[in-house]
Amino acid sequence: MATLSSSSASLLFSASSSNLFPLSHSSTSSRLSFSSSLHSSSASLFSASSPTFLAYPSSSSRLSSISASAAEKKKVLIVNTNSGGHAVIGFYFAKELLGSGHSVTILTVGEESSDKMKKPPFNRFSEIVSAGGSTVWGNPADVGSIVGGEVFDVVLDNNGKDLETVRPVIDWAKSSGAKQFLFISSAGIYKTTDEPPHVEGDTVKADAGHVAVEKYLEESFSNWASFRPQYMIGSGNNKDCEEWFFDRIVRDRPVPIPGSGLQLTNITHVRDLSSMLTLAVEKPEAARNSIFNCVSNRAVTLDGMAKLCAKAAGRPVNIVHYDPKAVGVDAKKAFPFRNMHFYAEPRAAQTKLGWSSTTYLPEDLKERFEEYVKIGRDKKTIQFELDDKILEALKVPVPV
Amino acid sequence: MARFVAVTPSQQNNQLSFSPLASSLSDFSGAKLQCSQIQFKRKQWQAKSGSFYVSASSNKKILIMGGTRFIGVFLSRLLVKEGHQVTLFTRGKAPVTQQLPGESDSDYADFSSKILHLKGDRQDFEFVKSSLSAQGFDVVYDINGREAVEVEPILDALPNLEQFIYCSSAGVYLKSDLLPHAEVDAVDPKSRHKGKLETESLLQSRGVNWTSIRPVYIYGPLNYNPVEEWFFHRLKAGRPIPIPSSGIQITQLGHVKDLARAFVHVLGNDKASKEIFNIAGDKYVTFDGLARACAKAGGFPEPELIHYNPKDYDFGKKKAFPFRDQHFFASVEKSKSVLGFENEFDLVEGLTDSYNLDFGRGTYRKEADFSTDDIILGKTLVSV
């Protein structure tokens, strides 16, 4: 539950509609008024619902920006991967911290001149610099010398997937006097279960690299927090997510989905991950020695994601289900999501940090589609070899 | 700290006892409510709520519409133990009281001596209005209401009602690809539970202090809906378990005892005023997983699961599987964060409780009927 500890926060709320006050749980018949201030609702099936249970999402992020100026300014170091789905997390987090008045250095793995830096979010790092942040490059094992002996309050490792990679960063952070260590882990470490969702505290795969890091943090750092994300959408993403669906939908191609299409997964806007991390920085005691599922509070089925993408694109969708083994394709190569339930809930963040999710796919995907078209990707020529193999096996016609 | 105030029969009236410790809690219909005490885990709700809870209990005159079949059987016992005067409104078709499996003779005797019965048909609206008005009640629990018209005479009869607590259903939620269902979500005005929705709307419009509880699938000893029983019959018979489609459909069960506790938890609770709460288990479960959980609960070996395409069959009026063939589950985060309510049972524990107190003792509500299973298995075997 969001706690309003500062009086300046209540001033903020008194100026706005009472619907924004998180503690007044007005009647649920006001659900339409909830959503109207959150989304531009159209009369779609989903429009009447606000995904937040408690506080308004905007209110909690405004609350955190107020508390930043009222509270301590932190010096934060982000060690960021140079590729992959997690790359965008550091980018949003850096910008949010800077916007809240904190000081940020982002250390990206590798070299500034590398080809990898031509891709998003790296090709937008000027936004970090113009907001007052520092950008440096190098090998995380040499972090101490790269940052030139600078001392940070908070260190986030958004890079390593195993202890070998993260340990030098943890050890340096500890010896240089950092007070809080944050780690981007993965919800992929949860053992599969008959009883979803994955909840913090559930059994994880003992041999997972991220698990070894979490264990080491627990043993060696006095204030640590581990964040377990899933799939993300958001401008600046280094890895395709919704684009996979758009690619097929705008070209009037069938969308091949393995299995039943009922598999549930979390697809979260990266701004939610950023706001959770920011809350952890601003409430270090609440975040102390905790694990947080870094996901939105709604899951979506794979079929549902295809339908929502189509709706955002304003086009029909033709979903085709297939059995990867029967067709003879590797589902991991043919499809960007796990072919199973992969579903976690952000219960710890809601309870301990008073965090609220703002992801609302029906709206967020519209914005994503606008950018997809703006950059001309709908006109790009794409090969669909694996799709064609699947559709051939199923004897599904494809428009030429 | 909670203290239990001993009440003599003469004090047990419609009147509220105002303790000197009464707080300035929000008023409901002009009367101050004091919260009931809960015998089970109370660890969180006092601290979390932030509002001041009165420590002395006060007994209420409580009416339960229904109460002799499943939820009410457990709820009425909790309320009587708390010291309230509880009346069950039923037609008297089922015995007003029955000893629960595992319930001691002395507990049962105590309960039976205290529970009251108002015999009538709730479809006889005139009788409902006149009998309730004559008796007067502080609180009504409507456990078996289906249509809004059934609730009107109750509200008409009791203008000073402190709280109307309604057993609604998560079945009102509009089907969605975004899950879980939350209390703020869109509801389906065409669902077969629309009577529940219309009742909730009526309550909202009438200005009474109401609370609505939306359970998902309820389970536990004495369940009259063959939920766990359906699995237990097949497990006991050593039969494979036919599950429609992929088996990864996600559903959710809530133990009847946790539900009863939730109903007590909202009594006189200002955090529950004019609010809806989903009440069910903390975790959800796949169809396949539920079959395995039932096996664990009953000490059976891991079952053979047979998946079939329901579209290939016409079972007529018979149900081949006890759950909706879709994802169906609701978040209980609101009940935790707003009320501090915590479940006692997880799924396997709860199913074990149900097995040990009911099916495992040889009792069940419906005879085993494997006719649809045989149709499925017969066709599956033929096509192999």
Side-chain angles (χ1 to χ4, degrees):
Chain A
M1 186 96 138
T3 50
L4 301 174
S5 48
S6 74
S7 56
S8 54
S10 50
L11 274 176
L12 172 75
F13 291 115
S14 64
S16 40
S17 139
S18 62
N19 280 338
L20 286 176
F21 193 78
L23 289 172
S24 80
H25 236 288
S26 47
S27 147
T28 51
S29 61
S30 66
R31 63 177 181 273
L32 289 170
S33 55
F34 262 92
S35 62
S36 60
S37 45
L38 182 57
H39 320 292
S40 52
S41 334
S42 50
S44 69
L45 278 181
F46 308 101
S47 65
S49 52
S50 157
T52 58
F53 304 123
L54 300 169
Y56 265 100
S58 51
S59 66
S60 78
S61 58
R62 277 191 279 174
L63 179 63
S64 54
S65 62
I66 284 168
S67 56
S69 49
E72 283 177 66
K73 263 187 68 166
K74 301 274 170 80
K75 284 191 69 177
V76 183
L77 172 69
I78 300 169
V79 177
N80 213 65
T81 176
N82 58 14
S83 70
H86 288 188
V88 68
I89 303 173
F91 178 59
Y92 274 71
F93 183 43
K95 296 211 300 179
E96 184 164 353
L97 287 170
L98 290 164
S100 296
H102 301 289
S103 143
V104 176
T105 299
I106 181 162
L107 160 55
T108 304
V109 173
E111 283 158 41
E112 189 175 359
S113 55
S114 139
D115 274 347
K116 292 184 175 184
M117 295 301 107
K118 295 183 181 152
K119 294 180 72 179
F122 311 105
N123 56 10
R124 290 172 54 182
F125 266 21
S126 54
E127 294 172 35
I128 295 177
V129 174
S130 58
S134 307
T135 53
V136 292
W137 279 261
N139 183 349
D142 306 323
V143 53
S145 54
I146 296 168
V147 301
E150 223 185 311
V151 175
F152 295 88
D153 300 306
V154 184
V155 177
L156 168 70
D157 187 299
N158 178 33
N159 173 51
K161 298 178 188 177
D162 53 49
L163 190 52
E164 194 190 325
T165 315
V166 189
R167 189 176 181 146
V169 181
I170 296 173
D171 290 346
W172 164 79
K174 189 173 171 186
S175 65
S176 73
K179 299 190 211 95
Q180 185 184 33
F181 197 97
L182 309 177
F183 175 56
I184 301 295
S185 178
S186 166
I189 60 176
Y190 283 112
K191 283 188 93 163
T192 54
T193 176
D194 279 344
E195 295 183 49
H198 296 305
V199 158
E200 297 89 348
D202 282 358
T203 313
V204 292
K205 299 169 192 161
D207 56 353
H210 298 97
V211 172
V213 177
E214 289 178 352
K215 279 208 175 99
Y216 185 70
L217 272 175
E218 200 177 7
E219 291 159 19
S220 57
F221 219 92
S222 58
N223 187 334
W224 61 273
S226 182
F227 297 83
R228 297 173 177 170
Q230 291 191 230
Y231 303 111
M232 276 163 271
I233 61 169
S235 183
N237 203 348
N238 189 267
K239 185 177 175 185
D240 275 0
C241 179
E242 69 281 13
E243 294 85 346
W244 188 91
F245 293 95
F246 291 151
D247 284 345
R248 285 143 184 82
I249 289 164
V250 298
R251 292 166 181 78
D252 288 322
R253 290 190 58 99
V255 178
I257 293 182
S260 62
L262 283 182
Q263 303 91 316
L264 273 164
T265 191
N266 288 87
I267 297 175
T268 307
H269 196 289
V270 58
R271 64 171 183 263
D272 272 355
L273 282 82
S274 175
S275 68
M276 194 188 289
L277 290 165
T278 305
L279 265 184
V281 167
E282 291 172 353
K283 295 183 176 182
E285 284 315 302
R288 179 184 283 274
N289 303 352
S290 297
I291 289 169
F292 298 102
N293 288 338
C294 208
V295 294
S296 70
N297 64 2
R298 302 288 181 153
V300 65
T301 60
L302 296 180
D303 276 4
M305 182 60 179
K307 289 188 231 163
L308 289 175
C309 286
K311 197 137 191 225
R315 301 179 81 103
V317 65
N318 175 18
I319 298 170
V320 168
H321 295 122
Y322 67 98
D323 175 355
K325 284 198 193 111
V327 164
V329 293
D330 181 355
K332 286 189 199 138
K333 297 209 172 90
F335 189 68
F337 301 95
R338 285 166 197 235
N339 181 12
M340 56 180 10
H341 285 311
F342 182 34
Y343 168 28
E345 279 185 6
R347 295 185 185 184
Q350 282 168 186
T351 314
K352 292 187 183 183
L353 302 177
W355 174 85
S356 298
S357 174
T358 69
T359 299
Y360 186 56
L361 290 177
E363 288 299 318
D364 290 329
L365 288 170
K366 280 190 199 158
E367 178 260 311
R368 300 307 311 130
F369 185 69
E370 278 163 19
E371 184 171 342
Y372 178 87
V373 169
K374 192 170 160 194
I375 62 175
R377 186 153 162 178
D378 56 335
K379 305 277 187 284
K380 200 172 149 192
T381 308
I382 302 178
Q383 300 304 322
F384 292 96
E385 284 155 16
L386 282 171
D387 280 41
D388 287 336
K389 184 173 179 189
I390 294 163
L391 297 169
E392 167 75 35
L394 299 172
K395 313 240 188 309
V396 174
V398 183
V400 172
Chain B
M1 285 307 294
R3 270 175 290 146
F4 205 81
V5 172
V7 186
T8 60
S10 60
Q11 284 175 289
Q12 275 180 322
N13 239 320
N14 298 2
Q15 315 313 317
L16 290 166
S17 49
F18 284 84
S19 144
L21 295 171
S23 72
S24 53
L25 286 172
S26 54
D27 285 358
F28 300 127
S29 310
K32 251 187 217 174
L33 263 188
Q34 282 141 15
C35 56
S36 53
Q37 279 147 32
I38 308 212
Q39 294 180 347
F40 301 94
K41 290 179 203 166
R42 246 187 304 104
K43 53 179 155 67
Q44 278 162 326
W45 58 278
Q46 280 176 349
K48 267 195 183 203
S49 66
S51 71
F52 180 75
Y53 279 91
V54 184
S55 52
S57 83
S58 74
N59 51 296
K60 306 251 169 269
K61 190 167 177 182
I62 297 178
L63 177 72
I64 300 181
M65 300 303 290
T68 56
R69 212 172 170 203
F70 188 33
I71 305 169
V73 163
F74 296 97
L75 173 59
S76 56
R77 275 166 175 73
L78 291 178
L79 293 170
V80 166
K81 267 215 177 97
E82 299 260 315
H84 302 291
Q85 185 197 91
V86 181
T87 302
L88 308 179
F89 185 111
T90 76
R91 292 169 300 170
K93 296 214 159 168
V96 178
T97 65
Q98 48 168 327
Q99 188 165 4
L100 295 181
E103 184 177 35
S104 73
D105 290 347
S106 57
D107 280 350
Y108 179 57
D110 185 63
F111 171 70
S112 307
S113 69
K114 290 177 179 159
I115 196 76
L116 303 166
H117 185 233
L118 174 49
K119 185 170 173 174
D121 186 341
R122 75 172 298 173
Q123 301 300 333
D124 182 347
F125 302 150
E126 281 310 311
F127 176 76
V128 169
K129 190 167 170 186
S130 58
S131 58
L132 267 52
S133 151
Q135 291 221 22
F137 291 98
D138 302 323
V139 175
V140 171
Y141 279 93
D142 190 345
I143 302 297
N144 64 8
R146 284 185 205 274
E147 304 295 337
V149 285
E150 296 165 7
V151 172
E152 276 171 2
I154 300 174
L155 299 177
D156 291 341
L158 303 167
N160 298 318
L161 190 62
E162 292 168 17
Q163 193 176 11
F164 188 101
I165 302 171
Y166 184 56
C167 187
S168 180
S169 168
V172 300
Y173 290 114
L174 183 65
K175 196 170 168 185
S176 176
D177 292 319
L178 292 172
L179 290 161
H181 293 300
E183 291 84 349
V184 293
D185 284 2
V187 290
D188 182 0
K190 292 192 224 137
S191 89
R192 70 186 174 83
H193 298 280
K194 64 179 163 66
K196 301 279 193 185
L197 264 185
E198 286 159 12
T199 305
E200 287 178 350
S201 298
L202 173 75
L203 292 169
Q204 285 170 21
S205 71
R206 285 285 296 253
V208 65
N209 174 39
W210 60 272
T211 300
S212 183
I213 302 283
R214 292 179 179 167
V216 188
Y217 286 105
I218 310 169
Y219 75 110
L222 302 182
N223 198 355
Y224 56 80
N225 187 9
V227 168
E228 66 270 52
E229 182 183 289
W230 188 91
F231 290 93
F232 289 149
H233 272 310
R234 283 146 185 82
L235 290 162
K236 181 164 181 202
R239 282 179 149 262
I241 306 207
I243 293 181
S245 312
S246 62
I248 68 165
Q249 303 90 317
I250 296 178
T251 189
Q252 183 183 19
L253 275 59
H255 199 285
V256 65
K257 291 176 191 173
D258 279 331
L259 179 58
R261 288 175 48 246
F263 273 114
V264 176
H265 203 99
V266 299
L267 176 66
N269 189 338
D270 63 345
K271 295 277 182 219
S273 175
K274 306 192 178 187
E275 294 288 351
I276 295 173
F277 296 96
N278 297 330
I279 298 290
D282 292 343
K283 291 269 202 137
Y284 323 124
V285 64
T286 61
F287 287 174
D288 284 358
L290 180 54
R292 288 189 275 266
C294 287
K296 273 189 206 141
F300 297 104
E302 198 170 315
E304 185 193 354
L305 307 180
I306 304 281
H307 296 107
Y308 64 97
N309 184 351
K311 294 194 183 117
D312 291 344
Y313 302 90
D314 177 9
F315 299 118
K317 290 208 164 149
K318 289 201 167 180
K319 258 174 112 170
F321 192 70
F323 296 90
R324 301 163 170 74
D325 186 5
Q326 61 178 72
H327 289 314
F328 179 49
F329 54 96
S331 170
V332 298
E333 285 306 294
K334 182 181 172 184
S335 69
K336 286 185 182 188
S337 59
V338 172
L339 301 174
F341 179 74
E342 293 292 341
N343 283 310
E344 290 211 330
F345 289 98
D346 70 27
L347 183 62
V348 173
E349 285 167 359
L351 289 169
T352 306
D353 180 72
S354 178
Y355 186 82
N356 288 345
L357 294 175
D358 195 359
F359 194 90
R361 295 183 180 208
T363 53
Y364 47 81
R365 310 294 95 63
K366 275 184 85 174
E367 286 297 330
D369 178 356
F370 301 127
S371 51
T372 54
D373 298 50
D374 289 336
I375 296 170
I376 294 161
L377 295 169
K379 189 161 182 177
T380 313
L381 289 169
V382 162
S383 60
V384 157

